[in-house]
């Protein structure tokens, strides 16, 4: 009985003749699928693939190294959970401090008012009208006082600037009627007061400007599509598993509304601190993760939940990341979904993020779509559910190297089989040349 093959876990190499005559084969004489073959190379924690002897189970993984301290923690600092750059609900966890050029906010006062919280926006809305009415009411009272209208209240032979204006309260009410164009008819300006006529024109123009500015701010603030992002959901975890014999990082997105997001597109960024070759430390460096920009797969038809896949190839920052390294690593993946709201035509953006401990290696999302009588039904009850699947624990680089070695073994084994067939069928044939016995046709010159 031959000794079982021995697995070398770190490098994916095989000794003892695993890749030759002792490799299990299917009925057609072809090695098992790449996923199972490479899982045997790299070790599968969930179980040994089909066709591998029980004695060839991989040894237990080495003890896990302690997790490194969070970015920015000095010596003696207490280990804590990594601070998110973007919260799960999409809020960016960044505050701007020591901003000295605050005048820049006033140069774009409209955007500043729109960005304010609702309680401050309503306060400014009320104060804008109240202060304007009080200001012009005070001027109307000053004109009446300077002309002596308040001293001739009962004199019918006196022509005041404004009829029936007998104090500051009535001047304030007249200011409101003028600016809001109510015009009750009790207090009326006369034609013997030129300063009153000029003030009436100024208040009418300024009142229109205040109305346009404040009503515009309220309209833009009310119609903002921020709340539309509340019905765009992301899976609570991201997963790493095989797709078509390639390691892929995947997460799921969905839209809870019947009105769809038009021209939806998805992006993903890796947030991780790094140090350059020159020694420069870059905190929270941003790296793009390809989710199908080259092929157009980043453009989504988001009618039902979709699984967004990032293929881990040589251009991916996860090319050298294995399962063990993922558990020790410190990073954040920010995903951004953008599109236009079908009902309003305004642009909407939804964001979420995944920390390193929210990426499940060797898992796959459960299906949600089912065919009913005349329609498709989506069961959002299992939107965040995943199931474990056999997945190599090695990195994508090691997986590709194992595939290359397997393909090389198949390439060199075909002439060997032809040699065996030629030796069995062409034995005793003196006219067969060595080149023909190697499975190739000899040229006419060699005969």
């Amino acid at each position: 009985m031959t000794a079982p093959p021995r697995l070398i876990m770190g490098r994916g190499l095989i000794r003892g003749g695993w890749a030759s005559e002792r490799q299990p084969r299917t009925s057609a004489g072809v090695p098992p699928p790449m996923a199972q073959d490479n899982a045997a190379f790299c070790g599968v924690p969930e179980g040994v693939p089909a066709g591998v002897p029980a004695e060839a189970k991989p040894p237990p993984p080495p003890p896990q190294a302690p997790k490194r301290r969070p970015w920015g923690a000095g010596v003696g600092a207490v280990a804590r959970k990594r601070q998110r750059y973007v919260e799960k609900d999409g809020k960016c966890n960044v505050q701007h401090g020591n901003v000295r050029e605050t005048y820049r906010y006033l140069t774009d006062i409209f955007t500043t008012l729109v960005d304010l919280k609702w309680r401050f926006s309503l306060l400014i809305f009320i104060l804008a009208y109240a202060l304007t009415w009080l200001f012009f009411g005070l001027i109307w009272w000053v004109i009446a006082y300077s002309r002596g209208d308040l001293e001739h209240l009962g004199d019918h032979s006196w022509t005041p600037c404004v009829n029936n204006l007998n104090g500051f309260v009535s001047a304030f009410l007249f200011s409101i009627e003028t600016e809001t164009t109510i015009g009750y008819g009790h207090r009326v300006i006369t034609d013997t007061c030129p300063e009153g006529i000029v003030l009436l024109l100024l208040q009418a123009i300024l009142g229109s400007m205040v109305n346009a500015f404040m009503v515009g701010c309220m309209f833009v603030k009310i119609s903002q599509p921020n709340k539309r992002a509340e019905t765009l959901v992301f899976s609570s975890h991201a997963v790493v598993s095989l797709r078509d014999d390639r390691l892929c990082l995947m997460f799921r997105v969905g839209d809870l509304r019947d009105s769809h997001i038009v021209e939806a597109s998805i992006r993903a960024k890796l947030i991780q601190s790094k140090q350059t070759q020159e020694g420069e430390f870059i905190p929270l460096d941003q790296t793009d993760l390809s989710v199908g920009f080259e092929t157009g797969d980043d453009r989504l038809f988001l009618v039902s939940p979709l699984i967004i896949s990032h293929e881990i190839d040589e251009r991916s920052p996860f090319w050298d990341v294995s399962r063990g390294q993922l558990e020790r690593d410190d990073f954040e993946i920010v995903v951004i979904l953008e599109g236009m709201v079908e009902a309003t035509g305004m642009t909407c953006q939804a964001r979420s993020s995944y920390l390193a401990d929210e990426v499940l290696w060797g898992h796959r999302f459960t299906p949600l779509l089912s065919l009913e009588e005349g329609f498709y039904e989506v069961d959002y009850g299992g939107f965040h559910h995943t199931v474990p699947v056999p997945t190599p624990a090695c990195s994508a680089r090691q997986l590709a190297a194992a595939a290359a070695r397997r393909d090389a073994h198949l390439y060199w084994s075909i002439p060997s089989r032809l040699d065996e067939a030629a030796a069995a069928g062409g034995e005793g044939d003196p006219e067969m040349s060595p080149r023909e016995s190697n499975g190739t046709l000899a040229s006419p010159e060699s005969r």
Side-chain angles (χ1 to χ4, degrees):
M1 179 177 179
T2 59
R6 182 158 58 95
L7 295 177
I8 307 300
M9 293 299 297
R11 302 170 55 189
L13 299 177
I14 288 185
R15 299 177 183 176
W18 179 280
S20 56
E21 68 276 359
R22 278 183 261 185
Q23 183 178 6
R25 303 183 182 276
T26 60
S27 58
V30 180
M34 179 180 175
Q36 298 181 0
D37 191 312
N38 291 331
F41 272 96
C42 307
V44 181
E46 290 78 3
V48 179
V52 179
E55 297 82 5
K57 293 184 179 180
Q64 183 177 355
K67 292 187 177 180
R68 60 189 182 189
R69 292 192 305 271
W71 167 95
V75 179
V78 179
R80 58 182 177 84
K81 187 177 180 181
R82 187 188 192 278
Q83 182 65 52
R84 285 186 179 274
Y85 189 61
V86 176
E87 299 290 344
K88 296 294 285 185
D89 59 358
K91 180 181 178 181
C92 296
N93 197 13
V94 177
Q95 295 184 1
H96 301 282
N98 198 21
V99 180
R100 299 180 180 179
E101 299 178 349
T102 54
Y103 67 90
R104 296 182 180 273
Y105 294 102
L106 298 179
T107 57
D108 188 11
I109 186 64
F110 187 84
T111 305
T112 302
L113 293 177
V114 172
D115 290 340
L116 288 176
K117 296 182 178 180
W118 268 107
R119 53 180 176 268
F120 299 116
S121 297
L122 292 176
L123 178 62
I124 293 176
F125 183 83
I126 295 173
L127 289 177
Y129 284 102
L131 294 178
T132 305
W133 297 335
L134 286 172
F135 174 73
F136 282 100
L138 179 62
I139 297 179
W140 285 116
W141 178 83
V142 169
I143 291 176
Y145 180 80
S146 61
R147 284 173 52 88
D149 295 342
L150 302 180
E151 300 175 357
H152 300 81
L153 295 179
D155 189 358
H156 296 285
S157 62
W158 180 265
T159 303
C161 183
V162 179
N163 290 329
N164 300 315
L165 195 151
N166 52 16
F168 178 76
V169 176
S170 59
F172 176 69
L173 293 176
F174 179 71
S175 174
I176 295 176
E177 296 175 15
T178 302
E179 189 167 334
T180 58
T181 64
I182 294 177
Y184 290 114
H186 182 64
R187 281 173 286 269
V188 182
I189 189 173
T190 61
D191 54 0
T192 60
C193 182
E195 61 269 29
I197 296 175
V198 174
L199 181 61
L200 178 66
L201 294 176
L202 291 177
Q203 187 173 5
I205 295 173
L206 185 60
S208 300
M209 295 174 61
V210 171
N211 285 333
F213 190 82
M214 299 310 301
V215 173
C217 286
M218 290 295 106
F219 176 78
V220 172
K221 194 171 184 64
I222 292 173
S223 60
Q224 277 185 321
N226 295 340
K227 296 301 180 181
R228 179 63 176 89
E230 297 293 333
T231 53
L232 297 174
V233 292
F234 297 86
S235 57
S236 58
H237 291 81
V239 299
V240 176
S241 62
L242 288 175
R243 262 195 176 185
D244 297 329
D245 289 333
R246 294 179 180 272
L247 281 177
C248 295
L249 172 71
M250 294 170 283
F251 57 92
R252 182 147 58 187
V253 297
D255 187 2
L256 302 180
R257 286 188 179 273
D258 292 332
S259 59
H260 309 304
I261 296 294
V262 182
E263 294 291 335
S265 60
I266 191 74
R267 291 183 292 144
K269 285 186 174 293
L270 175 66
I271 310 296
Q272 188 177 32
S273 302
K274 75 171 186 178
Q275 188 171 7
T276 63
Q277 297 179 359
E278 294 78 14
E280 179 188 2
F281 180 72
I282 304 178
L284 302 179
D285 181 62
Q286 300 184 12
T287 305
D288 282 333
L289 297 179
S290 176
V291 287
F293 177 78
E294 297 83 0
T295 60
D297 292 339
D298 61 329
R299 297 299 184 97
L300 308 180
F301 182 51
L302 198 57
V303 177
S304 60
L306 299 176
I307 297 177
I308 310 302
S309 175
H310 163 67
E311 182 179 330
I312 304 178
D313 53 13
E314 58 274 4
R315 297 173 299 175
S316 172
F318 298 107
W319 177 241
D320 293 313
V321 176
S322 62
R323 178 171 184 170
Q325 183 177 353
L326 178 68
E327 296 173 353
R328 301 187 302 269
D329 216 338
D330 186 17
F331 61 85
E332 182 176 355
I333 300 174
V334 177
V335 292
I336 305 170
L337 176 63
E338 293 179 325
M340 291 189 301
V341 181
E342 188 178 35
T344 62
M346 302 186 69
T347 303
C348 172
Q349 184 181 94
R351 298 179 293 265
S352 187
S353 67
Y354 302 98
L355 296 179
D357 56 358
E358 294 173 343
V359 179
L360 304 179
W361 190 287
H363 281 247
R364 180 187 300 163
F365 288 107
T366 57
L368 303 178
L369 205 61
S370 62
L371 178 61
E372 303 295 335
E373 291 292 336
F375 62 93
Y376 293 96
E377 183 178 3
V378 179
D379 180 16
Y380 278 97
F383 184 82
H384 303 284
H385 292 176
T386 62
V387 294
V389 292
T391 304
C394 61
S395 65
R397 179 191 291 274
Q398 295 171 335
L399 190 64
R405 286 192 297 271
R406 188 200 64 173
D407 294 340
H409 165 70
L410 292 178
Y411 175 78
W412 291 107
S413 63
I414 291 177
S416 300
R417 296 174 190 171
L418 293 178
D419 289 344
E420 295 174 1
E427 196 172 314
D429 189 356
E431 297 183 358
M432 179 174 292
S433 65
R435 294 176 61 88
E436 291 175 330
S437 64
N438 195 28
T440 57
L441 295 177
S443 61
E445 293 80 1
S446 63
R447 293 183 178 273

